[in-house]
Amino acid sequence: MRTRPPRRMVVVVVIAAVLGIGAGVWLPGRETGPASAPPPPRPVVAPARPGDPLPAITLPDLHGQSVDLARFRGRPLLINVWASWCGPCVEEMPALTAFAAGQGAGGVQVLGLALDTPEGVRDFLTRIPVTYPIVLETPGPADASVRLGNAQGLLPYSVLIDAQGRIVKQKLGPFAAGEIEAWARH
């Protein structure tokens, strides 16, 4: 006569089997021993500092046209890195727009560098118009913001470039009311 195993034992065996199968699926990519492959190397980018030349950066504008940042040489350039989902970025936009509009033909140029999607930026611009040019970048460990010195990857981030193409100042965080004009004097 054959006896049936107790129900509790069957449940334990089933749970153990499920856990064993789950571990077999989950663990193969997680080996830590000498046989595992090293992770791919992350791009190493040396963030620019004051005195460094503007890194070679070409990014698309909202129409998909390539914009080489070197084209802004000859006049000072304030690059403001922002995103449509960044509250402090959005708050300082009207002041940046007013600053840009008041510069005239020989003043400081303003360029917005959006770490955002084209759709996100277009939607933002329908609500808050900006008159200065905007280029787009995909956020990442070697994006243009990092190359311009934003090692922490926080927003907003601004960089002042002199007429000769050298980084003069870098600012992490939003501008306070009335601060842009004084900060942009070099």
Side-chain angles (χ1 to χ4, degrees):
M1 176 186 249
R2 206 169 130 187
T3 62
R4 293 175 66 192
R7 182 179 169 110
R8 183 179 254 169
M9 181 182 271
V10 171
V11 170
V12 169
V13 169
V14 169
I15 291 173
V18 169
L19 289 175
I21 291 169
V25 170
W26 184 70
L27 287 176
R30 306 205 187 297
E31 293 96 5
T32 58
S36 67
R42 290 185 68 180
V44 176
V45 174
R49 297 179 184 188
D52 289 349
L54 174 66
I57 298 173
T58 301
L59 297 169
D61 65 13
L62 284 170
H63 306 290
Q65 301 297 312
S66 292
V67 176
D68 183 350
L69 272 54
R71 84 173 197 193
F72 293 95
R73 270 208 177 136
R75 289 176 40 206
L77 171 66
L78 188 161
I79 301 172
N80 178 256
V81 184
W82 66 285
S84 63
W85 43 263
C86 166
C89 301
V90 172
E91 288 176 21
E92 73 179 359
M93 285 295 213
L96 284 163
T97 300
F99 173 78
Q103 292 304 299
V108 177
Q109 304 167 93
V110 177
L111 175 70
L113 194 164
L115 295 180
D116 211 324
T117 64
E119 299 78 26
V121 173
R122 282 188 193 101
D123 181 55
F124 172 83
L125 293 175
T126 62
R127 292 176 285 129
I128 300 175
V130 172
T131 56
Y132 51 84
I134 294 179
V135 292
L136 302 167
E137 174 72 302
T138 303
D143 66 32
S145 169
V146 174
R147 291 183 281 157
L148 289 168
N150 188 4
Q152 295 180 18
L154 301 175
L155 298 177
Y157 179 74
S158 297
V159 180
L160 183 64
I161 312 294
D162 68 15
Q164 292 73 41
R166 295 235 171 248
I167 295 174
V168 178
K169 296 178 182 176
Q170 299 162 311
K171 176 176 177 45
L172 182 58
F175 287 106
E179 181 184 10
I180 298 171
E181 292 80 9
W183 187 83
R185 280 188 227 122
H186 60 283

